[in-house]
Structures are given as C-alpha cells and as structure tokens.
Amino acid sequence: MSAGKGLGLVAVGLAAAGLGLAVGSVAERKVVRARREGPDREHDEPFGALPSDRTAIVVADDGVKLHLEEVGRPDAPLTAVMVHGLANTLGCWHYQRRDLVHPDDEDLRMVLYDQRGHGRSGRGTADNATLGQLSEDLLRVLEERVPDGPLVLIGHSLGGMTILEFLALRPDLLDGRILGVGLLSTSSG
C-alpha cells in the first residue's frame, strides 16, 4: 500500500469517526431535550408542603434552636429519627415521609429535624461547628422528643457521620434501644 493510499484511508477513518461523534452528539441532545421538554412526573409533587402532625423547637446545650417536625402517632411502637446531610434540610426526606408514615399508621412515628445552620434551625458559633456538637444536638433531640422506646436512626451524608459520632459517645444505647441504623452516602472517616 502506498503512503498516499494509507493517508487516504486514515482520512476516511477520521471522517467516519467524526461523523459518528457528530451523530452521537445530535442524538444525545435530542434525548436530553426530550427529557427536559417531556412530561415532568414530579410537577404536582408538593415538595416542602407535606403536613406535620407536630412541630417543636429543641434548644441545644449551647442555646441554638433546632427546628423539628414529627409525623405519626406519638405513642407508635417505633420511632425513626431522620438526620439530613450537609446543605440539606429535613425536607430532603420528602419521599420517605410521604410514603412511610400515613395518618392512620399506628406502627411508626418519624422525627425529622434541621441540623444547626440548616433550614429553620439556628446557627451556632464556629467553635461549635463540629461532629461532637452535632451528636450532642441529636442527643438533645432524643432526650426531649424520643425519651424512651425503640428507635431507628437514619442519616444521609453528614447526618450519617453525626449518628456515628453519637453512637461512639453513647454505645450504651445500642443495647436494645436502637434497633437499627441506616447510613446513606456517608463516611466513617
């Protein structure tokens, strides 16, 4: 094969590859556009507007006010405490709240709170921006809103780290009171 013919084949190959990339790019844009312009299955979802059975303010040991909401019967046999992640609010548990606890549900109560510096909770000082303080906040929530009975702790990201720090400080609660822990996209490091 001559050098000219080889270069010609390379040019044809590059042109075909370029055409393939162009076709793929156009197809991808059409798919993305169709998703954007297509029916939004969530357009009627009332994000941030789910009713609470009870709201409360829990005052942390350093005076920061923590906003808390509860759904489900106060005397339910099991309580799930939901702890959100960094830059989120208790609203991030929208689907769990909507789908797991119903007005006539007698089996589960859900307690959700905004961690300090998030949502409707107050801000603390920079010195108290620690996992230790967040775990103390969780302890205060439990003392005031879930003083007894079985519970499950569920945390996302920073919420999971808060729970792990809390359990390191209070391993005694793992002896029968805390029945389960759910950690979502979190780290123990």
Side-chain angles (χ1 to χ4, degrees):
M1 178 184 336
S2 70
K5 194 173 189 179
L7 286 176
L9 290 174
V10 168
V12 168
L14 288 174
L19 178 62
L21 286 174
V23 168
S25 178
V26 168
E28 180 182 16
R29 273 186 266 148
K30 283 187 176 195
V31 168
V32 169
R33 187 178 304 124
R35 284 186 184 157
R36 271 193 218 132
E37 296 171 2
D40 179 4
R41 293 185 302 263
E42 303 294 324
H43 77 282
D44 287 333
E45 189 63 39
F47 292 107
L50 290 176
S52 294
D53 296 331
R54 292 164 301 286
T55 61
I57 297 294
V58 173
V59 180
D61 61 355
D62 64 348
V64 171
K65 294 178 179 175
L66 304 173
H67 173 77
L68 179 137
E69 296 184 14
E70 295 180 26
V71 290
R73 291 178 37 161
D75 61 346
L78 179 65
T79 300
V81 178
M82 315 296 277
V83 188
H84 67 76
L86 182 67
N88 281 324
T89 67
L90 61 82
C92 76
W93 301 108
H94 176 86
Y95 290 107
Q96 292 80 5
R97 181 177 179 168
R98 182 194 74 185
D99 296 339
L100 295 177
V101 181
H102 304 283
D104 58 348
D105 192 349
E106 297 181 5
D107 297 326
L108 179 65
R109 171 174 66 143
M110 192 174 288
V111 173
L112 313 99
Y113 70 99
D114 284 330
Q115 293 216 61
R116 62 178 49 229
H118 294 78
R120 290 175 271 179
S121 287
R123 295 181 63 155
T125 64
D127 291 342
N128 285 349
T130 66
L131 279 175
Q133 182 62 59
L134 293 176
S135 71
E136 290 294 329
D137 293 350
L138 175 56
L139 176 62
R140 184 70 79 155
V141 166
L142 294 177
E143 287 174 343
E144 290 194 23
R145 303 308 295 187
V146 195
D148 54 29
L151 58 104
V152 174
L153 301 174
I154 302 173
H156 168 253
S157 189
L158 179 63
M161 290 185 273
T162 300
I163 290 169
L164 290 171
E165 180 73 13
F166 171 76
L167 293 175
L169 297 174
R170 294 297 308 270
D172 57 298
L173 293 176
L174 287 169
D175 191 20
R177 174 120 198 262
I178 296 176
L179 302 181
V181 174
L183 303 173
L184 310 164
S185 301
T186 194
S187 167
S188 62

